[in-house]
Amino acid sequence: MLAMALPIAKKLEINKVLITCDKRNLDSVKTIIKNGGVLENEVIEDGEIVQRYWVQL
């Protein structure tokens, strides 16, 4: 779904997309990285570590 959503965002003239996921969700991490995600940082939300990735379109 992410691979399908990114071209739509580009058509909407969105040049950079922020995607977040729980650090323990390895399948999401792999998907985000496979689609060009670059880790910006990790933050703690509700006691959980959330990773923040940017995808440049």
Side-chain angles (χ1 to χ4, degrees):
M1 285 195 312
L2 179 57
M4 294 171 66
L6 292 175
I8 295 169
K10 187 169 184 163
K11 284 183 184 179
L12 294 171
E13 298 182 8
I14 298 171
N15 298 316
K16 198 173 182 182
V17 177
L18 176 65
I19 304 170
T20 66
C21 70
D22 187 299
K23 183 175 183 170
R24 296 177 296 160
N25 188 337
L26 298 180
D27 288 334
S28 290
V29 171
K30 290 177 188 176
T31 299
I32 295 167
I33 292 171
K34 181 179 177 183
N35 283 277
V38 177
L39 181 64
E40 176 183 65
N41 63 6
E42 296 179 344
V43 296
I44 297 176
E45 292 182 7
D46 299 323
E48 301 291 331
I49 299 174
V50 175
Q51 293 184 320
R52 297 167 38 100
Y53 291 87
W54 284 101
V55 177
Q56 188 73 39
L57 303 177

